[in-house]
Amino acid sequence: MNAPHGFHTSAVPAALRDELVAAGLDYDELVDHALRALQEDLPDGGLDATSVATIGADARAEGVFAARDAGVVAGLGIAALVFHLVLGDDVELSERVPDGTTVAPGDVVLRVAGPTRGLLTAERTALNFASHLSGIATATSHWVAALEGTRAKVLDTRKTLPGFRTLQKYAVRCGGGVNHRLTLSDLAMVKDNHVVAAGGVVPAFEAVRAAYPDLPVEVEVTDLDQLRALLAAGCTQILLDNMSNEMMAEAVEITRSGATGASLEASGGLTLERAREVALTGVDFISVGALTHSVVVFDLGFDFLED
């Protein structure tokens, strides 16, 4: 989108742009996203009425973003982008900790200084991005800790907020998790409805292989007979849906004993309390939709420093 009047897309430092791109984010898409968020507060022609009424045009201030809980931060580079879009070059950012950093209550994660009105205008949008993404990174880190010492890795899903998928999956990476497919074109994932429509797990798998021979394909199974049939057909990515721990352990034994090299993913209503016992069955991945669809925001606060 074109930059709305009053925002400073050309003033974003090249180093910040390069950092965001290196993190796997589409810079132009990110700027559009941030501008849309800012326009929710400031539609064309709008203004921050409270700040204009209470704060002099020449007033300047300094403030800090600080953690109010323990966790892992993400999205601070995006918060920095928001401040530059609002204030251009007339903002100083310092003490920003890298995304993926583990923090404790009271830790300063970003310091900002500039025109007081502009800081307050940008504050909420910056916090919305950083608090939401830090919540995802923190939740993911808890799963990573629960799986430590096992072969299992935690995966995200496509259960993301519309328009936020790229950012939410970035936050999962910040927390130590692994991204599953980003789009429907990255990997063919045969679920129960595909199986019904195709007439079985093997016909569904073979139909995908015939249509897209170079595309990775994963197939969902609900019992061990389906697993055996898929292994015999050459499927190398299999999702174990809503299985008991005992059944998953048997699925792992069947797969390993056949020396197929297939990977197994556990899915279906898994909880953090159950994470480690599922991982100890020997599965390779545990997919968790709650990382993104049910995240609790991380408590970040922004406060001005008093002289």
Side-chain angles (χ1 to χ4, degrees):
M1 66 184 292
N2 294 325
H5 177 71
F7 294 114
H8 305 274
T9 56
S10 62
V12 178
L16 178 57
R17 175 176 182 149
D18 293 343
E19 174 191 334
L20 295 170
V21 171
L25 301 172
D26 184 306
Y27 178 76
D28 292 333
E29 179 182 285
L30 183 55
V31 169
D32 285 350
H33 197 163
L35 289 173
R36 284 194 298 271
L38 287 165
Q39 282 199 293
E40 289 178 339
D41 277 334
L42 298 172
D44 290 338
L47 53 79
D48 180 356
T50 310
S51 295
V52 169
T54 60
I55 300 167
D58 296 329
R60 300 183 71 85
E62 182 177 8
V64 295
F65 282 74
R68 294 174 176 169
D69 203 349
V72 176
V73 292
L76 294 175
I78 302 166
L81 173 65
V82 169
F83 279 105
H84 281 294
L85 290 174
V86 172
L87 289 164
D89 295 325
D90 198 12
V91 63
E92 181 180 347
L93 304 172
S94 61
E95 298 183 34
R96 175 162 61 92
V97 303
D99 284 356
T101 299
T102 299
V103 297
D107 285 355
V108 172
V109 299
L110 174 64
R111 183 182 297 265
V112 298
T116 309
R117 288 181 179 179
L119 295 180
L120 291 174
T121 296
E123 170 195 10
R124 177 46 50 194
T125 298
L127 278 170
N128 284 348
F129 278 112
S131 296
H132 177 69
L133 298 181
S134 296
I136 293 172
T138 297
T140 304
S141 73
H142 294 160
W143 282 83
V144 171
L147 304 182
E148 186 175 0
T150 74
R151 67 182 295 140
K153 300 183 183 300
V154 61
L155 287 175
D156 55 23
T157 72
R158 286 173 44 250
K159 295 177 181 177
T160 53
L161 293 175
F164 263 85
R165 179 172 298 166
T166 300
L167 291 180
Q168 289 187 309
K169 284 180 173 282
Y170 165 68
V172 167
R173 298 196 299 274
C174 289
V178 177
N179 293 151
H180 207 286
R181 60 178 178 170
L182 181 66
T183 75
L184 293 171
S185 302
D186 297 339
L187 172 144
M189 191 165 183
V190 178
K191 304 281 285 181
D192 52 355
N193 287 331
H194 302 108
V195 170
V196 171
V201 290
V202 172
F205 169 68
E206 292 177 341
V208 174
R209 295 314 264 156
Y212 304 103
D214 297 324
L215 186 68
V217 54
E218 181 175 14
V219 182
E220 175 185 287
V221 301
T222 57
D223 61 52
L224 299 180
D225 288 338
Q226 290 178 326
L227 172 71
R228 292 187 182 95
L230 280 171
L231 291 173
C235 183
T236 58
Q237 291 180 254
I238 299 173
L239 184 150
L240 310 177
D241 184 51
N242 283 298
M243 288 188 177
S244 66
N245 293 349
E246 293 73 21
M247 186 178 289
M248 282 189 280
E250 189 172 351
V252 169
E253 176 59 28
I254 291 169
T255 303
R256 303 284 181 267
S257 64
T260 62
S263 65
L264 299 178
E265 173 187 339
S267 181
L270 302 179
T271 63
L272 184 59
E273 292 71 25
R274 191 184 166 206
R276 189 163 188 84
E277 62 187 52
V278 171
L280 290 174
T281 66
V283 295
D284 301 283
F285 301 101
I286 295 177
S287 57
V288 185
L291 293 180
T292 52
H293 72 58
S294 299
V295 65
V296 176
V297 298
F298 184 72
D299 194 359
L300 286 172
F302 176 65
D303 293 297
F304 282 151
L305 302 177
E306 297 184 16
D307 292 333

